[in-house]
Amino acid sequence: MCLPSEMQSGSHQKGGYRVRIYDADLNFQDKSTVDPIITGRKVAEMQGARSADKFVVLQCLPNGATEDLRLEEEVKLRDGHHNVFLVAEAGGTSNLFADDLRVAWFDLPITAAAVRFLTGKSEEFAVFQDFPGQASKLIDDHEKVSLEGKGVERFHTQLIDQKVTVYLAEVAHKIEAGVYTTEQLKTVLGVPENYLLDLVSDTGFIELKPGDSIEIKERMKFVGCLPSGHSS
């Protein structure tokens, strides 16, 4: 839930109420106002919007959910509690479920970072998109997921296992995630020193040369082979 820990208390300070405003990329600005009542339009203007009519404002609620705040709608700022908003240039909002909490987001693609923000989870958590009757899909940190499909999109987070499963000639190996040299990877996978080690990609085989470094991720596939090309 979108409750930055440092803002869950003490939001009323000398000179006004403290307000934190995020954009769709989760960059934020800290502002203050002496007025205990604020409108969506005022929040957008505080964020720097020149034409507030082109922007959508979301308010983070005490339970961590988010909801649309209309431009002329007034809300009372919380004395001694957080006051967090999100502002982005968008045409409207989309509803979704994140860890079973119904939240609002802009009618823009959403990222894994945004889902973690909405659920109050750290980068130690992976984000998955859920599909009825199908396996959940891991959302890569650089991926943007459209919310324009039919129905309400659902996501859940899961603590990342520090070990990942990779495959050597279709045999699964569970190893620590991280960056390995070719030599280190051959050792943990049990590939003989005199064998070559190839990464299996969508476009073919990529030879890992001595001294190369590679970041190991879930479900990577490898093959070991003699220099003559006989695979192991």
Side-chain angles (χ1 to χ4, degrees):
M1 51 187 183
C2 57
L3 305 178
S5 59
E6 71 273 21
M7 296 194 68
Q8 291 185 25
S9 62
S11 289
H12 180 66
Q13 56 185 13
K14 187 176 181 179
Y17 292 83
R18 188 166 51 142
V19 175
R20 176 166 290 185
I21 306 172
Y22 289 84
D23 62 20
D25 294 322
L26 304 182
N27 303 307
F28 68 85
Q29 302 178 45
D30 285 330
K31 303 288 185 177
S32 64
T33 177
V34 296
D35 193 341
I37 304 295
I38 198 168
T39 64
R41 182 178 298 278
K42 179 64 176 178
V43 172
E45 291 173 348
M46 290 173 70
Q47 194 257 6
R50 293 185 178 181
S51 178
D53 293 331
K54 297 181 180 179
F55 286 75
V56 171
V57 180
L58 302 177
Q59 179 187 9
C60 291
L61 303 178
N63 68 349
T66 52
E67 71 174 11
D68 183 19
L69 178 64
R70 298 186 301 276
L71 291 180
E72 307 309 327
E73 184 179 356
E74 295 183 342
V75 294
K76 185 176 181 180
L77 295 176
R78 300 172 180 86
D79 189 3
H81 296 278
H82 73 286
N83 295 284
V84 182
F85 302 88
L86 297 103
V87 176
E89 186 171 353
T93 61
S94 297
N95 290 316
L96 59 106
F97 283 95
D99 284 350
D100 295 324
L101 179 67
R102 189 180 182 95
V103 295
W105 186 248
F106 310 106
D107 62 352
L108 303 171
I110 194 168
T111 62
V115 174
R116 281 193 289 264
F117 174 83
L118 293 171
T119 56
K121 298 297 175 55
S122 69
E123 292 185 354
E124 296 178 344
F125 286 79
V127 176
F128 294 83
Q129 184 177 12
D130 300 324
F131 302 95
Q134 301 179 39
S136 298
K137 177 181 180 293
L138 175 65
I139 305 303
D140 185 84
D141 282 343
H142 303 291
E143 186 176 355
K144 293 185 176 182
V145 179
S146 172
L147 300 176
E148 296 180 353
K150 295 181 179 180
V152 179
E153 300 292 346
R154 291 179 175 269
F155 300 86
H156 77 270
T157 62
Q158 182 177 315
L159 187 63
I160 297 173
D161 190 343
Q162 296 303 307
K163 289 189 175 183
V164 295
T165 300
V166 299
Y167 296 85
L168 177 66
E170 305 302 327
V171 177
H173 295 259
K174 202 167 186 67
I175 65 175
E176 295 288 337
V179 177
Y180 290 74
T181 65
T182 301
E183 292 78 8
Q184 291 170 334
L185 188 56
K186 287 169 68 174
T187 297
V188 298
L189 294 179
V191 177
E193 291 184 8
N194 63 324
Y195 275 52
L196 300 178
L197 182 63
D198 290 353
L199 169 67
V200 182
S201 72
D202 292 337
T203 57
F205 297 90
I206 301 173
E207 181 183 344
L208 303 181
K209 298 180 180 179
D212 283 355
S213 295
I214 181 171
E215 183 180 1
I216 298 302
K217 299 180 180 179
E218 184 71 21
R219 302 189 69 79
M220 279 182 160
K221 294 183 178 182
F222 303 89
V223 294
C225 60
L226 288 167
S228 61
H230 298 292
S231 62
S232 68

